[in-house]
Amino acid sequence: MVAASPDLIEDIDALRMKFRAFLDSAPKPAGLRNYGPTPTAADVEPGRAWHRYLADHGYTCLHWPVEFGGAAATVAYQAAFAEECARAGVPRQLNITGVDLVGPVLIKFGTPDHKERYLEPIRLGDAVWTQLFSEPGAGSDLAGVRTRAERTADGWRIDGQKVWSSAAASADYGLLLARTGPDKHRDLSMFIVPMDAPGVSVRPLVQMDGESKFNEVFFDGADLSDDALIGEVGQGWAVAMVTLGRERLTLGTQAVAMFQLHERMVNAARDHDLLDPVLSRSMTRLWTRMWLLRYTWQRAIDSGDLTSSAFSVLKLMTSETDQDLGDVATEVLGTDACVDPADSGEAADLVHHMLVGRAQTILGGTSEIQRNILGERVLGLPKEPR
Ligand SMILES: Cc1cc2nc3c(=O)[nH]c(=O)nc-3n(C[C@H](O)[C@H](O)[C@H](O)COP(=O)(O)OP(=O)(O)OC[C@H]3O[C@@H](n4cnc5c(N)ncnc54)[C@H](O)[C@@H]3O)c2cc1C
């Protein structure tokens, strides 16, 4: 178990060494790979066994309060653990939706029964959750969701469609944002959906990297019980905002993985005898940006303010740097950039990263939306015309 309250451990480097030793000596289940925030169907079994091992040693749900099995960890503590997981090439949980998004939402808005029923299975990796927010006509403009929840005698009936629902095909439960009335923001409500409920169907989508993590989810008169509602009727937008705030925070921990990728690209460029002054200049510029990001991330953590606008800057800059890094892979790899990302080997790995990088500037709020937020809320520029 985590020995002491993380707040009491002042030396973050000592903590980092402790994490490193733990992760290096931990037995890795067969088939485990660093699949990122979302497992594919094939990743679920090794990911679950790994999550259980982390949970047994007190290393899951670090940000949750101690009374719910967390470690009440500071952001610095969480970041150090996430970075060490990236360094060790292992995921830090089965899937992030349950741990990072649903857990905090249930702790803040859930009933005692919700907490009792759903938190421990998330902590132990027994339950996979999916986030059912985006729809074909509502992504950036999330408050435009049209999936309807209508009152029945003993609960709610759901009709509509969601899309881009990560891990929905393997999920036990979904966190559903649905419309309970006509007002754009005030008539949204949040629900818990058992994914095996009659009337819920999932259709997997295949991404350009060949993996299948996204899904379409259809609701055709799915009945939910009364206690599926999280918070009050009409509180869905407030609950969604808490969820999206956490999502932004999660993204800042990618810095270490970027440094590793950068190093691999420099090595690949050397191997291909391509490290000329032009490529060296691009690689150096990226390296500088990565350090700037690292320091901005560190400052944001040190401020201890999770609502800091620095996290919007970080989301924007991290995702764009990650994507630019992937783009340089095409220069480094030359014709090897055409290999199948599902193949094994260094080239396929880099191609895979390059393709996955396209998603970074979309998920958790697109770069255009982040710029709007920064312009309007941070710089105080005039609002975009609507
Ligand atoms: C890897 C990944 C995982 C995801 N996982 C989930 C999940 O588990 N659950 C879930 O619910 N959703 C998920 N999403 C969906 C994600 O939240 C949406 O893709 C995102 O919010 C953008 O919405 P959209 O795709 O509908 O694009 P749109 O909102 O249709 O935007 C299309 C383009 O128009 C631009 N645009 C839109 N509005 C404006 C504006 N006002 N000003 C300037 N430009 C604008 C956008 O920036 C974008 O370039 C995931 C997405 C990705 C990439």
Side-chain angles (χ1 to χ4, degrees):
M1 293 294 290
V2 178
S5 161
D7 294 318
L8 299 178
I9 301 177
E10 285 166 18
D11 186 349
I12 203 79
D13 287 333
L15 199 54
R16 199 177 278 285
M17 288 305 123
K18 182 181 148 185
F19 295 155
R20 196 168 293 183
F22 166 75
L23 291 168
D24 285 349
S25 64
K28 316 290 183 306
L32 184 75
R33 62 175 187 132
N34 188 6
Y35 47 74
T38 304
T40 61
D43 291 319
V44 169
E45 201 187 316
R48 199 189 291 280
W50 175 242
H51 184 117
R52 185 59 191 244
Y53 183 82
L54 293 179
D56 287 346
H57 292 80
Y59 284 117
T60 54
C61 306
L62 295 174
H63 51 90
W64 292 13
V66 174
E67 64 174 305
F68 300 115
T74 59
V75 182
Y77 183 101
Q78 296 168 53
F81 187 69
E83 287 185 347
E84 285 308 312
C85 284
R87 198 198 64 86
V90 292
R92 67 180 169 85
Q93 76 294 296
L94 175 52
N95 84 321
I96 66 156
T97 305
V99 171
D100 283 358
L101 310 185
V102 178
V105 158
L106 293 181
I107 289 167
K108 190 170 168 73
F109 298 98
T111 61
D113 181 55
H114 287 154
K115 292 175 184 143
E116 169 96 29
R117 272 165 64 190
Y118 299 115
L119 291 179
E120 190 64 355
I122 293 175
R123 192 183 74 79
L124 296 177
D126 290 339
V128 174
W129 283 71
T130 183
Q131 181 191 11
L132 301 166
F133 286 15
S134 305
E135 296 185 1
S140 301
D141 185 19
L142 185 59
V145 299
R146 284 188 293 187
T147 295
R148 288 188 326 276
E150 280 171 10
R151 272 257 186 237
T152 58
D154 54 0
W156 299 89
R157 176 155 302 165
I158 313 294
D159 285 281
Q161 186 198 338
K162 296 288 171 178
V163 71
W164 314 130
S165 318
S166 304
S170 318
D172 303 286
Y173 299 102
L175 182 70
L176 171 75
L177 183 65
R179 179 154 298 290
T180 39
D183 188 274
K184 190 166 180 182
H185 291 90
R186 277 177 300 189
D187 282 330
L188 292 170
S189 304
M190 197 67 80
F191 298 91
I192 296 166
V193 181
M195 293 301 286
D196 60 356
V200 179
S201 48
V202 178
R203 192 159 68 190
L205 298 167
V206 178
Q207 299 124 226
M208 65 178 168
D209 63 359
E211 295 192 332
S212 178
K213 292 184 172 180
F214 289 140
N215 303 270
E216 291 176 294
V217 179
F218 299 89
F219 297 95
D220 190 9
D223 284 322
L224 302 182
S225 56
D226 218 16
D227 63 1
L229 180 72
I230 301 176
E232 307 288 326
V233 174
Q235 209 183 3
W237 189 244
V239 181
M241 288 305 101
V242 169
T243 320
L244 298 181
R246 282 238 45 108
E247 220 173 341
R248 248 182 356 173
L249 185 62
T250 304
L251 288 162
T253 55
Q254 286 173 5
V256 163
M258 277 197 273
F259 279 107
Q260 288 176 326
L261 185 67
H262 188 276
E263 192 182 329
R264 285 169 59 190
M265 292 224 290
V266 171
N267 290 337
R270 270 208 195 95
D271 292 348
H272 287 76
D273 207 13
L274 283 172
L275 208 52
D276 60 22
V278 177
L279 186 58
S280 299
R281 188 161 175 259
S282 315
M283 300 296 283
T284 309
R285 282 191 158 172
L286 278 168
W287 191 76
T288 314
R289 265 165 71 187
M290 283 153 46
W291 273 110
L292 288 172
L293 266 173
R294 190 111 208 285
Y295 285 128
T296 311
W297 173 235
Q298 198 58 51
R299 263 207 319 279
I301 291 171
D302 289 346
S303 82
D305 174 12
L306 297 191
T307 60
S308 161
S309 55
F311 288 107
S312 274
V313 181
L314 277 164
K315 154 65 177 127
L316 180 66
M317 294 306 295
T318 305
S319 54
E320 298 202 341
T321 305
D322 196 29
Q323 198 168 86
D324 290 348
L325 196 55
D327 287 347
V328 174
T330 46
E331 290 177 51
V332 170
L333 292 171
T335 50
D336 280 358
C338 299
V339 300
D340 185 338
D343 286 352
S344 53
E346 184 69 357
D349 242 33
L350 292 175
V351 169
H352 186 255
H353 189 92
M354 173 180 69
L355 296 177
V356 170
R358 309 316 302 175
Q360 302 293 345
T361 51
I362 303 171
L363 66 96
T366 67
S367 283
E368 289 79 8
I369 296 300
Q370 297 305 317
R371 286 196 166 84
N372 281 351
I373 293 173
L374 289 171
E376 293 173 14
R377 297 196 208 148
V378 181
L379 300 176
L381 298 175
K383 286 195 181 298
E384 66 167 320
R386 288 184 193 270

